[in-house]
């Protein structure tokens, strides 16, 4: 596994964005600040074969912005949405409808767009894994492959139809 290491230096623009927050963070042990940032690759370490060292990549924070109090809720929503999109899970019931996992539903905070994004993400992940299993499995005849492709098509259609069904609800 490659280790990610942060360089202690930050770009001048990132430092400028941080300056107004240094003293308040210093004065408040345990203080936290939200930020939106970008980092860039600056160094790569590839150990020699046979050594026990891990490969690593060093990055430097190149761009950084901190929201003001009025903007924090929007940034927290964006963080929650990105986390939800990365971690959404669900299972299909006997009728082929996707049911989101309780942990995923908790992340949505009842927001319809978040729920729909999570549902679509979980559905696509399921059918992507199905397709990957087909590709790694034994060679199939043309008839068997058509059957499997029909199952894949039906599954994706069910995911999309559920999306349309939810669009009409209010």
């Amino acid at each position: 596994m490659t280790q990610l290491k942060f360089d202690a230096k930050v770009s001048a623009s990132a430092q400028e964005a941080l300056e107004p927050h240094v003293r308040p963070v210093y004065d408040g042990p345990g203080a936290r600040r939200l930020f939106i940032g970008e980092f860039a690759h600056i160094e790569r370490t590839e150990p020699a074969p046979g050594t026990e060292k891990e490969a690593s990549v060093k990055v430097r924070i190149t761009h950084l912005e901190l929201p003001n109090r009025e903007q924090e809720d929007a940034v927290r929503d964006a963080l929650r949405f990105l986390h939800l999109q990365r971690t959404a899970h669900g299972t299909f019931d006997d009728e082929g409808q996707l049911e989101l996992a309780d942990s995923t539903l908790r992340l949505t905070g009842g927001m319809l767009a978040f729920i729909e994004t999570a549902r679509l993400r979980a559905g696509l992940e399921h059918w992507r894994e199905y397709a990957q299993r087909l590709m790694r499995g034994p060679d199939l005849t043309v008839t068997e492959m058509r059957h499997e492709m029909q199952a894949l098509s039906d599954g994706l259609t069910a995911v999309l139809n559920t999306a349309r069904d939810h669009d009409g609800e209010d």
Side-chain angles (χ1 to χ4, degrees):
M1 180 116 184
T2 303
Q3 284 186 334
L4 178 67
K5 297 179 179 183
F6 281 90
D7 187 31
K9 298 176 187 173
V10 296
S11 71
S13 65
Q15 184 62 41
E16 183 181 330
L18 287 169
E19 283 177 12
H21 302 276
V22 173
R23 188 65 194 197
V25 169
Y26 176 82
D27 290 342
R32 294 172 176 241
R33 292 292 190 270
L34 283 173
F35 67 90
I36 298 170
E38 176 182 77
F39 59 80
H41 173 266
I42 60 166
E43 183 179 289
R44 170 181 154 163
T45 304
E46 187 172 353
T51 62
E52 293 184 21
K53 287 189 141 197
E54 289 185 351
S56 67
V57 60
K58 188 183 285 188
V59 296
R60 178 174 294 145
I61 296 173
T62 55
H63 292 93
L64 184 77
E65 293 298 332
L66 289 92
N68 62 35
R69 295 282 179 219
E70 295 81 33
Q71 297 166 328
E72 281 186 5
D73 287 342
V75 173
R76 286 187 195 286
D77 283 346
L79 287 170
R80 192 171 75 224
F81 180 79
L82 290 170
H83 177 74
L84 172 69
Q85 187 178 25
R86 181 174 53 85
T87 63
H89 293 292
T91 57
F92 286 90
D93 64 17
D94 293 337
E95 296 161 5
Q97 298 298 310
L98 182 71
E99 295 179 5
L100 291 173
D102 288 341
S103 60
T104 297
L105 286 172
R106 277 192 298 277
L107 288 171
T108 66
M111 299 181 80
L112 184 58
F114 282 15
I115 292 169
E116 186 60 12
T117 297
R119 196 189 59 68
L120 288 170
R121 167 88 168 112
L124 289 173
E125 179 66 20
H126 170 81
W127 290 109
R128 182 189 64 82
E129 288 174 2
Y130 183 90
Q132 285 181 330
R133 284 192 304 272
L134 285 176
M135 297 304 296
R136 288 190 301 260
D139 289 338
L140 300 175
T141 66
V142 171
T143 303
E144 291 170 327
M145 184 55 80
R146 282 189 177 139
H147 173 76
E148 293 297 343
M149 292 303 293
Q150 185 63 52
L152 182 61
S153 174
D154 292 346
L156 290 169
T157 299
V159 170
L160 290 173
N161 285 342
T162 303
R164 281 190 216 104
D165 293 346
H166 287 279
D167 287 345
E169 295 177 4
D170 275 26

